[in-house]
Structure formats: structure tokens, C-alpha cells
Amino acid sequence: MSSTLPARETSSSLRRATGTLFAVGAIAFGISASVLSATFDWPDVLRESADVVLPAFAAGGDTLIWTWFATAWTYAILAVPILLLPVVLERANAPVLRAATSIGAASVAFSLIGFLRWVFVVPGLAQSWMSGDATTRSAVEAAWLAQHQFGGALLGEHLGQLLAIVWSLTVSVIVLRSRVLPRWLGVAGIAASVLYLLNQGDVMSTALPTFPVLDFAGLVGSTGWGLWVAALGVTLIARPVAVSRRRGTLVASNA
């Protein structure tokens, strides 16, 4: 009994810490992204040409760079609870969840690259464009397009978002099948993931202009997905994980 109680307390503490990180990461990113939207017209500015984006970025000064920095690292918080979730759900050895966890962590890394290029790559391009002549500006605009499509559209938006969706879909299906968390969380996760997936039309259109685009998918999908992540965190904080009998081993259920 004496060894069981500390183990349960440790498990409960880890669950609450993981939930807190999910909630804090989602909320902090939402705040940073809202500031970015208000001050730099993000994400609509992502589809503007270099001669629109670079002067606007230069006008934002150091404050805009720090806003991008904050947006990047608040999103990066999510990597930690993603890695902890299998342990919290007492499924650390489940192959599917282990694979999904690696995919989720990779998605954060790709998104982080997409965000941080605005801190380490774009400022130099903006400065060169502002101070350059017509020839220099043409060269800078070509460099802008190359890094924007590679670091932004490919890594940050396509791979970052797509892998995040794979992770959330997998977690949601596991929730529905195992009932380790409330069923509504699994249903909401699938719905949010599907909506978020629709935003890939906008990303694909940067390479294939005729690809169909649903204008609402970006805002609705990303907002819904972020709210689901926050809800996952709050649920972990407020409600113990339910586990069941497996292979003759009895584990208490607090669902």
C-alpha cells in the first residue's frame, strides 16, 4: 500500500502537469497569434507577394520580430505534453500511439521552423529589399519566394499541419475506442482534425493554383484544433484517466 500511494500521486501529478502544458501552450499560442494577426495581418499576409510583405515586415521593426519569436516558442510548448501523453494515458507501449507521438513531435518541429524563419531569415531579406535598387529587389524577391515556399508552405504549413492532424486523429480514435477520456473529446478531436485538414487546399494552391480552396477552413480549422488541444489539457487536469482490466491485471478506474 505504501508503494502504491506514491505511484498514484506521481501519476496524478504527471497527468495534471501534462494537461497544464497542453492548455497553457494552446492559450499562449492563441494570444500570440491574435497579436500577430492584429499587427501583421497574419495569416492572410502569407499569400501576399514579396513587394507587399517585406515593406510591411520592415515597418513592424523589432516588435514584430519578437512577436514572431513568441508565437514560435509558445507553439513549441506543445511538444512536451505530446511526448508525455502516452505515459499519462498508461499506453506508453502501444505501437500506434508511440508512432503518433513521434509524428506529433515532428509536426511541432516543422511548424517551429516555419515560424522562426520570420525571426532569422526574413529580417535580412526585408532590410536588403528596403535598401536595394531594382536589381537587388528582384533578387531578394526571388530569394523570398524560395524560402517562403520551402520553410513556410512545405515545412510549416504542409508537413507541420498535416502531421499535427495525424496525431490528433490518432489520439481521438484511441479515446473513442478505449474510453480513457470522455467520448465527446474523441468526437470533437476528429471533427476539428477534419476541418483543419481542409486548410491544406489553401497550402496546395501555392504550388497548384487550380487546387480547390475553402476560404473558411484556415480560420475555423486552426481555431477548432487549438480549442480541442486546450480542451484535452483541461480534461486531463480535471478528470483522472480511466483504465481497465487487461491480461488479468486489475487497475482502478476513476472515470
Side-chain angles (χ1 to χ4, degrees), residues 85-137:
L85 188 61
V87 177
V88 171
L89 297 182
E90 300 191 9
R91 281 162 173 76
N93 296 321
V96 173
L97 186 55
R98 288 174 61 185
T101 298
S102 298
I103 289 171
S107 77
V108 176
F110 285 129
S111 295
L112 190 60
I113 293 171
F115 286 127
L116 286 179
R117 68 193 171 87
W118 291 93
V119 177
F120 296 102
V121 179
V122 177
L125 293 175
Q127 183 177 8
S128 296
W129 192 92
M130 293 297 292
S131 61
D133 56 18
T135 302
T136 300
R137 288 186 172 185

mmCIF file of all heavy atoms in Angstrom, residues 85-137:
data_model
loop_
_atom_site.group_PDB
_atom_site.id
_atom_site.type_symbol
_atom_site.label_atom_id
_atom_site.label_comp_id
_atom_site.label_asym_id
_atom_site.label_seq_id
_atom_site.Cartn_x
_atom_site.Cartn_y
_atom_site.Cartn_z
ATOM 1 N N LEU A 85 2.027 12.343 -23.226
ATOM 2 C CA LEU A 85 0.657 11.823 -23.251
ATOM 3 C C LEU A 85 0.562 10.288 -23.194
ATOM 4 O O LEU A 85 -0.293 9.762 -22.466
ATOM 5 C CB LEU A 85 -0.082 12.358 -24.479
ATOM 6 C CG LEU A 85 -1.580 12.061 -24.528
ATOM 7 C CD1 LEU A 85 -2.305 12.676 -23.338
ATOM 8 C CD2 LEU A 85 -2.188 12.576 -25.839
ATOM 9 N N PRO A 86 1.380 9.537 -23.931
ATOM 10 C CA PRO A 86 1.260 8.073 -23.837
ATOM 11 C C PRO A 86 1.449 7.541 -22.413
ATOM 12 O O PRO A 86 0.767 6.588 -22.009
ATOM 13 C CB PRO A 86 2.370 7.570 -24.770
ATOM 14 C CG PRO A 86 2.571 8.667 -25.740
ATOM 15 C CD PRO A 86 2.382 9.926 -24.938
ATOM 16 N N VAL A 87 2.352 8.134 -21.664
ATOM 17 C CA VAL A 87 2.574 7.709 -20.280
ATOM 18 C C VAL A 87 1.353 8.056 -19.429
ATOM 19 O O VAL A 87 0.893 7.260 -18.613
ATOM 20 C CB VAL A 87 3.843 8.367 -19.702
ATOM 21 C CG1 VAL A 87 4.034 7.979 -18.236
ATOM 22 C CG2 VAL A 87 5.066 7.974 -20.512
ATOM 23 N N VAL A 88 0.822 9.248 -19.636
ATOM 24 C CA VAL A 88 -0.339 9.696 -18.871
ATOM 25 C C VAL A 88 -1.547 8.803 -19.144
ATOM 26 O O VAL A 88 -2.312 8.473 -18.225
ATOM 27 C CB VAL A 88 -0.676 11.161 -19.219
ATOM 28 C CG1 VAL A 88 -2.002 11.579 -18.607
ATOM 29 C CG2 VAL A 88 0.441 12.081 -18.733
ATOM 30 N N LEU A 89 -1.709 8.377 -20.390
ATOM 31 C CA LEU A 89 -2.828 7.502 -20.750
ATOM 32 C C LEU A 89 -2.546 6.037 -20.433
ATOM 33 O O LEU A 89 -3.369 5.172 -20.724
ATOM 34 C CB LEU A 89 -3.147 7.651 -22.237
ATOM 35 C CG LEU A 89 -3.618 9.019 -22.720
ATOM 36 C CD1 LEU A 89 -3.944 8.988 -24.208
ATOM 37 C CD2 LEU A 89 -4.808 9.516 -21.917
ATOM 38 N N GLU A 90 -1.373 5.786 -19.843
ATOM 39 C CA GLU A 90 -0.948 4.425 -19.489
ATOM 40 C C GLU A 90 -0.933 3.509 -20.703
ATOM 41 O O GLU A 90 -1.308 2.338 -20.659
ATOM 42 C CB GLU A 90 -1.831 3.861 -18.372
ATOM 43 C CG GLU A 90 -1.763 4.710 -17.113
ATOM 44 C CD GLU A 90 -2.413 4.033 -15.920
ATOM 45 O OE1 GLU A 90 -2.762 2.844 -16.024
ATOM 46 O OE2 GLU A 90 -2.551 4.689 -14.882
ATOM 47 N N ARG A 91 -0.444 4.066 -21.823
ATOM 48 C CA ARG A 91 -0.305 3.317 -23.068
ATOM 49 C C ARG A 91 1.046 3.612 -23.708
ATOM 50 O O ARG A 91 1.153 3.758 -24.933
ATOM 51 C CB ARG A 91 -1.449 3.667 -24.022
ATOM 52 C CG ARG A 91 -2.743 2.952 -23.677
ATOM 53 C CD ARG A 91 -3.943 3.596 -24.297
ATOM 54 N NE ARG A 91 -5.135 2.777 -24.075
ATOM 55 C CZ ARG A 91 -5.779 2.706 -22.912
ATOM 56 N NH1 ARG A 91 -5.350 3.420 -21.882
ATOM 57 N NH2 ARG A 91 -6.843 1.931 -22.776
ATOM 58 N N ALA A 92 2.068 3.685 -22.881
ATOM 59 C CA ALA A 92 3.398 4.025 -23.371
ATOM 60 C C ALA A 92 3.943 2.976 -24.327
ATOM 61 O O ALA A 92 4.805 3.276 -25.163
ATOM 62 C CB ALA A 92 4.357 4.209 -22.193
ATOM 63 N N ASN A 93 3.459 1.735 -24.230
ATOM 64 C CA ASN A 93 3.949 0.659 -25.085
ATOM 65 C C ASN A 93 3.038 0.359 -26.267
ATOM 66 O O ASN A 93 3.302 -0.573 -27.022
ATOM 67 C CB ASN A 93 4.141 -0.615 -24.253
ATOM 68 C CG ASN A 93 5.217 -0.445 -23.197
ATOM 69 O OD1 ASN A 93 6.240 0.188 -23.438
ATOM 70 N ND2 ASN A 93 4.991 -1.001 -22.011
ATOM 71 N N ALA A 94 1.984 1.118 -26.428
ATOM 72 C CA ALA A 94 1.071 0.899 -27.557
ATOM 73 C C ALA A 94 1.732 1.389 -28.847
ATOM 74 O O ALA A 94 2.041 2.578 -28.971
ATOM 75 C CB ALA A 94 -0.236 1.629 -27.327
ATOM 76 N N PRO A 95 1.976 0.513 -29.816
ATOM 77 C CA PRO A 95 2.716 0.892 -31.030
ATOM 78 C C PRO A 95 2.100 2.060 -31.793
ATOM 79 O O PRO A 95 2.810 2.954 -32.257
ATOM 80 C CB PRO A 95 2.709 -0.390 -31.871
ATOM 81 C CG PRO A 95 2.508 -1.488 -30.889
ATOM 82 C CD PRO A 95 1.616 -0.922 -29.819
ATOM 83 N N VAL A 96 0.772 2.047 -31.921
ATOM 84 C CA VAL A 96 0.105 3.098 -32.703
ATOM 85 C C VAL A 96 0.288 4.456 -32.030
ATOM 86 O O VAL A 96 0.609 5.453 -32.690
ATOM 87 C CB VAL A 96 -1.387 2.782 -32.887
ATOM 88 C CG1 VAL A 96 -2.102 3.953 -33.548
ATOM 89 C CG2 VAL A 96 -1.566 1.525 -33.721
ATOM 90 N N LEU A 97 0.096 4.511 -30.718
ATOM 91 C CA LEU A 97 0.232 5.785 -30.017
ATOM 92 C C LEU A 97 1.687 6.241 -29.982
ATOM 93 O O LEU A 97 1.963 7.441 -30.062
ATOM 94 C CB LEU A 97 -0.322 5.664 -28.592
ATOM 95 C CG LEU A 97 -0.380 6.965 -27.789
ATOM 96 C CD1 LEU A 97 -1.155 8.036 -28.550
ATOM 97 C CD2 LEU A 97 -1.006 6.727 -26.422
ATOM 98 N N ARG A 98 2.606 5.303 -29.877
ATOM 99 C CA ARG A 98 4.023 5.670 -29.906
ATOM 100 C C ARG A 98 4.387 6.291 -31.251
ATOM 101 O O ARG A 98 5.101 7.295 -31.311
ATOM 102 C CB ARG A 98 4.891 4.439 -29.639
ATOM 103 C CG ARG A 98 4.847 3.959 -28.194
ATOM 104 C CD ARG A 98 5.595 2.657 -28.025
ATOM 105 N NE ARG A 98 7.000 2.771 -28.367
ATOM 106 C CZ ARG A 98 7.840 1.743 -28.388
ATOM 107 N NH1 ARG A 98 7.407 0.520 -28.118
ATOM 108 N NH2 ARG A 98 9.113 1.933 -28.677
ATOM 109 N N ALA A 99 3.888 5.694 -32.337
ATOM 110 C CA ALA A 99 4.148 6.245 -33.669
ATOM 111 C C ALA A 99 3.513 7.623 -33.810
ATOM 112 O O ALA A 99 4.134 8.569 -34.332
ATOM 113 C CB ALA A 99 3.619 5.297 -34.736
ATOM 114 N N ALA A 100 2.274 7.758 -33.338
ATOM 115 C CA ALA A 100 1.578 9.044 -33.426
ATOM 116 C C ALA A 100 2.296 10.108 -32.606
ATOM 117 O O ALA A 100 2.342 11.285 -32.997
ATOM 118 C CB ALA A 100 0.139 8.893 -32.939
ATOM 119 N N THR A 101 2.877 9.723 -31.477
ATOM 120 C CA THR A 101 3.606 10.672 -30.639
ATOM 121 C C THR A 101 4.836 11.208 -31.362
ATOM 122 O O THR A 101 5.117 12.414 -31.323
ATOM 123 C CB THR A 101 4.019 9.995 -29.318
ATOM 124 O OG1 THR A 101 2.843 9.597 -28.607
ATOM 125 C CG2 THR A 101 4.833 10.939 -28.451
ATOM 126 N N SER A 102 5.556 10.326 -32.034
ATOM 127 C CA SER A 102 6.711 10.774 -32.821
ATOM 128 C C SER A 102 6.280 11.715 -33.937
ATOM 129 O O SER A 102 6.938 12.724 -34.212
ATOM 130 C CB SER A 102 7.450 9.562 -33.413
ATOM 131 O OG SER A 102 7.949 8.720 -32.392
ATOM 132 N N ILE A 103 5.164 11.380 -34.565
ATOM 133 C CA ILE A 103 4.631 12.227 -35.634
ATOM 134 C C ILE A 103 4.217 13.587 -35.083
ATOM 135 O O ILE A 103 4.490 14.628 -35.690
ATOM 136 C CB ILE A 103 3.436 11.526 -36.310
ATOM 137 C CG1 ILE A 103 3.924 10.341 -37.134
ATOM 138 C CG2 ILE A 103 2.639 12.495 -37.185
ATOM 139 C CD1 ILE A 103 2.823 9.456 -37.675
ATOM 140 N N GLY A 104 3.557 13.591 -33.918
ATOM 141 C CA GLY A 104 3.144 14.848 -33.302
ATOM 142 C C GLY A 104 4.327 15.728 -32.935
ATOM 143 O O GLY A 104 4.301 16.949 -33.157
ATOM 144 N N ALA A 105 5.375 15.116 -32.376
ATOM 145 C CA ALA A 105 6.564 15.889 -32.017
ATOM 146 C C ALA A 105 7.239 16.451 -33.271
ATOM 147 O O ALA A 105 7.712 17.597 -33.284
ATOM 148 C CB ALA A 105 7.537 15.014 -31.236
ATOM 149 N N ALA A 106 7.269 15.657 -34.345
ATOM 150 C CA ALA A 106 7.850 16.132 -35.609
ATOM 151 C C ALA A 106 7.048 17.294 -36.165
ATOM 152 O O ALA A 106 7.616 18.249 -36.732
ATOM 153 C CB ALA A 106 7.909 14.989 -36.614
ATOM 154 N N SER A 107 5.737 17.249 -36.007
ATOM 155 C CA SER A 107 4.891 18.336 -36.516
ATOM 156 C C SER A 107 5.236 19.656 -35.837
ATOM 157 O O SER A 107 5.265 20.714 -36.477
ATOM 158 C CB SER A 107 3.410 18.007 -36.307
ATOM 159 O OG SER A 107 3.001 18.206 -34.969
ATOM 160 N N VAL A 108 5.497 19.600 -34.535
ATOM 161 C CA VAL A 108 5.873 20.817 -33.812
ATOM 162 C C VAL A 108 7.206 21.348 -34.333
ATOM 163 O O VAL A 108 7.380 22.558 -34.522
ATOM 164 C CB VAL A 108 5.948 20.549 -32.297
ATOM 165 C CG1 VAL A 108 6.448 21.795 -31.567
ATOM 166 C CG2 VAL A 108 4.582 20.139 -31.760
ATOM 167 N N ALA A 109 8.151 20.438 -34.590
ATOM 168 C CA ALA A 109 9.460 20.857 -35.096
ATOM 169 C C ALA A 109 9.335 21.531 -36.459
ATOM 170 O O ALA A 109 9.953 22.585 -36.714
ATOM 171 C CB ALA A 109 10.394 19.650 -35.187
ATOM 172 N N PHE A 110 8.528 20.956 -37.352
ATOM 173 C CA PHE A 110 8.339 21.562 -38.672
ATOM 174 C C PHE A 110 7.669 22.933 -38.563
ATOM 175 O O PHE A 110 8.062 23.885 -39.245
ATOM 176 C CB PHE A 110 7.502 20.641 -39.565
ATOM 177 C CG PHE A 110 8.248 19.453 -40.090
ATOM 178 C CD1 PHE A 110 7.727 18.176 -39.966
ATOM 179 C CD2 PHE A 110 9.475 19.604 -40.718
ATOM 180 C CE1 PHE A 110 8.407 17.071 -40.449
ATOM 181 C CE2 PHE A 110 10.173 18.511 -41.214
ATOM 182 C CZ PHE A 110 9.637 17.236 -41.079
ATOM 183 N N SER A 111 6.669 23.034 -37.712
ATOM 184 C CA SER A 111 5.982 24.319 -37.527
ATOM 185 C C SER A 111 6.926 25.354 -36.932
ATOM 186 O O SER A 111 6.879 26.536 -37.295
ATOM 187 C CB SER A 111 4.765 24.135 -36.624
ATOM 188 O OG SER A 111 3.793 23.315 -37.241
ATOM 189 N N LEU A 112 7.775 24.908 -36.025
ATOM 190 C CA LEU A 112 8.735 25.816 -35.397
ATOM 191 C C LEU A 112 9.675 26.412 -36.439
ATOM 192 O O LEU A 112 9.985 27.607 -36.401
ATOM 193 C CB LEU A 112 9.524 25.068 -34.325
ATOM 194 C CG LEU A 112 10.403 25.904 -33.401
ATOM 195 C CD1 LEU A 112 9.572 26.917 -32.628
ATOM 196 C CD2 LEU A 112 11.157 24.990 -32.435
ATOM 197 N N ILE A 113 10.115 25.586 -37.375
ATOM 198 C CA ILE A 113 10.959 26.095 -38.471
ATOM 199 C C ILE A 113 10.201 27.148 -39.273
ATOM 200 O O ILE A 113 10.735 28.203 -39.625
ATOM 201 C CB ILE A 113 11.406 24.941 -39.383
ATOM 202 C CG1 ILE A 113 12.359 24.009 -38.629
ATOM 203 C CG2 ILE A 113 12.079 25.482 -40.648
ATOM 204 C CD1 ILE A 113 12.684 22.728 -39.384
ATOM 205 N N GLY A 114 8.937 26.846 -39.568
ATOM 206 C CA GLY A 114 8.133 27.791 -40.337
ATOM 207 C C GLY A 114 7.983 29.132 -39.638
ATOM 208 O O GLY A 114 8.048 30.189 -40.279
ATOM 209 N N PHE A 115 7.795 29.105 -38.330
ATOM 210 C CA PHE A 115 7.651 30.351 -37.576
ATOM 211 C C PHE A 115 8.988 31.087 -37.423
ATOM 212 O O PHE A 115 9.055 32.310 -37.598
ATOM 213 C CB PHE A 115 7.078 30.066 -36.185
ATOM 214 C CG PHE A 115 5.616 29.716 -36.184
ATOM 215 C CD1 PHE A 115 5.166 28.564 -35.560
ATOM 216 C CD2 PHE A 115 4.688 30.537 -36.800
ATOM 217 C CE1 PHE A 115 3.819 28.233 -35.545
ATOM 218 C CE2 PHE A 115 3.332 30.226 -36.796
ATOM 219 C CZ PHE A 115 2.897 29.065 -36.163
ATOM 220 N N LEU A 116 10.040 30.363 -37.089
ATOM 221 C CA LEU A 116 11.315 31.009 -36.763
ATOM 222 C C LEU A 116 12.051 31.585 -37.976
ATOM 223 O O LEU A 116 12.965 32.389 -37.810
ATOM 224 C CB LEU A 116 12.228 30.029 -36.027
ATOM 225 C CG LEU A 116 11.843 29.746 -34.571
ATOM 226 C CD1 LEU A 116 12.803 28.735 -33.949
ATOM 227 C CD2 LEU A 116 11.843 31.042 -33.741
ATOM 228 N N ARG A 117 11.645 31.203 -39.179
ATOM 229 C CA ARG A 117 12.272 31.841 -40.343
ATOM 230 C C ARG A 117 11.954 33.336 -40.372
ATOM 231 O O ARG A 117 12.718 34.141 -40.920
ATOM 232 C CB ARG A 117 11.833 31.154 -41.633
ATOM 233 C CG ARG A 117 10.384 31.362 -41.972
ATOM 234 C CD ARG A 117 9.900 30.418 -43.072
ATOM 235 N NE ARG A 117 8.458 30.524 -43.198
ATOM 236 C CZ ARG A 117 7.839 31.417 -43.974
ATOM 237 N NH1 ARG A 117 8.543 32.252 -44.705
ATOM 238 N NH2 ARG A 117 6.529 31.470 -44.014
ATOM 239 N N TRP A 118 10.811 33.710 -39.761
ATOM 240 C CA TRP A 118 10.462 35.126 -39.679
ATOM 241 C C TRP A 118 11.370 35.873 -38.701
ATOM 242 O O TRP A 118 11.421 37.107 -38.717
ATOM 243 C CB TRP A 118 9.012 35.283 -39.240
ATOM 244 C CG TRP A 118 8.023 34.826 -40.261
ATOM 245 C CD1 TRP A 118 7.462 33.594 -40.363
ATOM 246 C CD2 TRP A 118 7.492 35.594 -41.345
ATOM 247 N NE1 TRP A 118 6.602 33.537 -41.435
ATOM 248 C CE2 TRP A 118 6.596 34.769 -42.049
ATOM 249 C CE3 TRP A 118 7.670 36.910 -41.774
ATOM 250 C CZ2 TRP A 118 5.900 35.199 -43.169
ATOM 251 C CZ3 TRP A 118 6.959 37.358 -42.884
ATOM 252 C CH2 TRP A 118 6.091 36.504 -43.568
ATOM 253 N N VAL A 119 12.066 35.142 -37.870
ATOM 254 C CA VAL A 119 12.991 35.751 -36.907
ATOM 255 C C VAL A 119 14.410 35.783 -37.456
ATOM 256 O O VAL A 119 15.131 36.777 -37.286
ATOM 257 C CB VAL A 119 12.963 34.971 -35.575
ATOM 258 C CG1 VAL A 119 13.972 35.552 -34.575
ATOM 259 C CG2 VAL A 119 11.556 34.969 -34.984
ATOM 260 N N PHE A 120 14.832 34.711 -38.159
ATOM 261 C CA PHE A 120 16.231 34.572 -38.549
ATOM 262 C C PHE A 120 16.500 34.731 -40.048
ATOM 263 O O PHE A 120 17.644 34.915 -40.439
ATOM 264 C CB PHE A 120 16.761 33.206 -38.096
ATOM 265 C CG PHE A 120 16.777 33.046 -36.598
ATOM 266 C CD1 PHE A 120 15.795 32.311 -35.958
ATOM 267 C CD2 PHE A 120 17.757 33.654 -35.833
ATOM 268 C CE1 PHE A 120 15.801 32.168 -34.582
ATOM 269 C CE2 PHE A 120 17.770 33.524 -34.456
ATOM 270 C CZ PHE A 120 16.796 32.776 -33.821
ATOM 271 N N VAL A 121 15.475 34.662 -40.886
ATOM 272 C CA VAL A 121 15.682 34.751 -42.334
ATOM 273 C C VAL A 121 15.051 36.007 -42.931
ATOM 274 O O VAL A 121 15.703 36.766 -43.656
ATOM 275 C CB VAL A 121 15.116 33.497 -43.040
ATOM 276 C CG1 VAL A 121 15.316 33.605 -44.554
ATOM 277 C CG2 VAL A 121 15.777 32.230 -42.507
ATOM 278 N N VAL A 122 13.789 36.235 -42.609
ATOM 279 C CA VAL A 122 13.043 37.333 -43.236
ATOM 280 C C VAL A 122 13.594 38.720 -42.902
ATOM 281 O O VAL A 122 13.611 39.592 -43.786
ATOM 282 C CB VAL A 122 11.545 37.234 -42.884
ATOM 283 C CG1 VAL A 122 10.768 38.407 -43.473
ATOM 284 C CG2 VAL A 122 10.972 35.912 -43.395
ATOM 285 N N PRO A 123 14.058 39.008 -41.670
ATOM 286 C CA PRO A 123 14.561 40.362 -41.403
ATOM 287 C C PRO A 123 15.675 40.798 -42.347
ATOM 288 O O PRO A 123 15.690 41.951 -42.819
ATOM 289 C CB PRO A 123 15.074 40.255 -39.957
ATOM 290 C CG PRO A 123 14.228 39.196 -39.348
ATOM 291 C CD PRO A 123 14.021 38.183 -40.437
ATOM 292 N N GLY A 124 16.610 39.900 -42.661
ATOM 293 C CA GLY A 124 17.685 40.249 -43.591
ATOM 294 C C GLY A 124 17.168 40.514 -44.994
ATOM 295 O O GLY A 124 17.622 41.446 -45.672
ATOM 296 N N LEU A 125 16.194 39.725 -45.419
ATOM 297 C CA LEU A 125 15.600 39.934 -46.739
ATOM 298 C C LEU A 125 14.861 41.273 -46.790
ATOM 299 O O LEU A 125 14.963 42.008 -47.786
ATOM 300 C CB LEU A 125 14.644 38.792 -47.068
ATOM 301 C CG LEU A 125 15.259 37.411 -47.283
ATOM 302 C CD1 LEU A 125 14.173 36.363 -47.468
ATOM 303 C CD2 LEU A 125 16.206 37.415 -48.484
ATOM 304 N N ALA A 126 14.139 41.584 -45.733
ATOM 305 C CA ALA A 126 13.395 42.841 -45.695
ATOM 306 C C ALA A 126 14.343 44.036 -45.730
ATOM 307 O O ALA A 126 14.096 45.024 -46.443
ATOM 308 C CB ALA A 126 12.531 42.899 -44.439
ATOM 309 N N GLN A 127 15.430 43.948 -44.991
ATOM 310 C CA GLN A 127 16.399 45.050 -44.965
ATOM 311 C C GLN A 127 17.042 45.240 -46.333
ATOM 312 O O GLN A 127 17.207 46.369 -46.814
ATOM 313 C CB GLN A 127 17.466 44.771 -43.914
ATOM 314 C CG GLN A 127 18.480 45.895 -43.756
ATOM 315 C CD GLN A 127 19.495 45.610 -42.653
ATOM 316 O OE1 GLN A 127 19.538 44.506 -42.106
ATOM 317 N NE2 GLN A 127 20.304 46.595 -42.331
ATOM 318 N N SER A 128 17.399 44.127 -46.982
ATOM 319 C CA SER A 128 18.018 44.206 -48.314
ATOM 320 C C SER A 128 17.040 44.767 -49.329
ATOM 321 O O SER A 128 17.422 45.546 -50.220
ATOM 322 C CB SER A 128 18.491 42.817 -48.754
ATOM 323 O OG SER A 128 19.509 42.334 -47.907
ATOM 324 N N TRP A 129 15.778 44.379 -49.229
ATOM 325 C CA TRP A 129 14.776 44.880 -50.169
ATOM 326 C C TRP A 129 14.567 46.370 -49.989
ATOM 327 O O TRP A 129 14.484 47.117 -50.980
ATOM 328 C CB TRP A 129 13.459 44.134 -49.959
ATOM 329 C CG TRP A 129 12.451 44.354 -51.060
ATOM 330 C CD1 TRP A 129 12.283 43.599 -52.172
ATOM 331 C CD2 TRP A 129 11.491 45.424 -51.148
ATOM 332 N NE1 TRP A 129 11.279 44.107 -52.953
ATOM 333 C CE2 TRP A 129 10.769 45.233 -52.349
ATOM 334 C CE3 TRP A 129 11.178 46.512 -50.342
ATOM 335 C CZ2 TRP A 129 9.755 46.090 -52.753
ATOM 336 C CZ3 TRP A 129 10.167 47.367 -50.747
ATOM 337 C CH2 TRP A 129 9.463 47.155 -51.935
ATOM 338 N N MET A 130 14.495 46.813 -48.754
ATOM 339 C CA MET A 130 14.244 48.228 -48.488
ATOM 340 C C MET A 130 15.392 49.118 -48.950
ATOM 341 O O MET A 130 15.173 50.244 -49.407
ATOM 342 C CB MET A 130 14.003 48.436 -46.987
ATOM 343 C CG MET A 130 12.719 47.789 -46.466
ATOM 344 S SD MET A 130 11.206 48.460 -47.204
ATOM 345 C CE MET A 130 11.209 50.123 -46.522
ATOM 346 N N SER A 131 16.615 48.634 -48.847
ATOM 347 C CA SER A 131 17.779 49.467 -49.178
ATOM 348 C C SER A 131 18.311 49.235 -50.589
ATOM 349 O O SER A 131 19.215 49.941 -51.043
ATOM 350 C CB SER A 131 18.916 49.203 -48.181
ATOM 351 O OG SER A 131 19.332 47.845 -48.242
ATOM 352 N N GLY A 132 17.750 48.247 -51.301
ATOM 353 C CA GLY A 132 18.301 47.885 -52.600
ATOM 354 C C GLY A 132 17.692 48.631 -53.769
ATOM 355 O O GLY A 132 16.615 49.237 -53.656
ATOM 356 N N ASP A 133 18.399 48.544 -54.903
ATOM 357 C CA ASP A 133 17.865 49.109 -56.146
ATOM 358 C C ASP A 133 16.955 48.072 -56.804
ATOM 359 O O ASP A 133 16.665 47.016 -56.224
ATOM 360 C CB ASP A 133 19.006 49.525 -57.077
ATOM 361 C CG ASP A 133 19.969 48.383 -57.373
ATOM 362 O OD1 ASP A 133 19.586 47.204 -57.158
ATOM 363 O OD2 ASP A 133 21.107 48.650 -57.811
ATOM 364 N N ALA A 134 16.524 48.350 -58.001
ATOM 365 C CA ALA A 134 15.567 47.468 -58.678
ATOM 366 C C ALA A 134 16.132 46.066 -58.888
ATOM 367 O O ALA A 134 15.423 45.058 -58.711
ATOM 368 C CB ALA A 134 15.159 48.086 -60.014
ATOM 369 N N THR A 135 17.412 45.993 -59.263
ATOM 370 C CA THR A 135 18.032 44.692 -59.491
ATOM 371 C C THR A 135 18.122 43.898 -58.194
ATOM 372 O O THR A 135 17.816 42.699 -58.157
ATOM 373 C CB THR A 135 19.447 44.863 -60.082
ATOM 374 O OG1 THR A 135 19.358 45.595 -61.310
ATOM 375 C CG2 THR A 135 20.092 43.512 -60.333
ATOM 376 N N THR A 136 18.547 44.587 -57.134
ATOM 377 C CA THR A 136 18.653 43.925 -55.827
ATOM 378 C C THR A 136 17.288 43.455 -55.359
ATOM 379 O O THR A 136 17.140 42.338 -54.842
ATOM 380 C CB THR A 136 19.256 44.880 -54.792
ATOM 381 O OG1 THR A 136 20.565 45.271 -55.221
ATOM 382 C CG2 THR A 136 19.350 44.222 -53.425
ATOM 383 N N ARG A 137 16.287 44.283 -55.536
ATOM 384 C CA ARG A 137 14.952 43.914 -55.104
ATOM 385 C C ARG A 137 14.428 42.692 -55.851
ATOM 386 O O ARG A 137 13.771 41.823 -55.263
ATOM 387 C CB ARG A 137 13.996 45.092 -55.264
ATOM 388 C CG ARG A 137 14.223 46.196 -54.241
ATOM 389 C CD ARG A 137 13.174 47.280 -54.313
ATOM 390 N NE ARG A 137 13.315 48.227 -53.210
ATOM 391 C CZ ARG A 137 12.493 49.226 -52.952
ATOM 392 N NH1 ARG A 137 11.434 49.427 -53.748
ATOM 393 N NH2 ARG A 137 12.692 50.035 -51.926
#
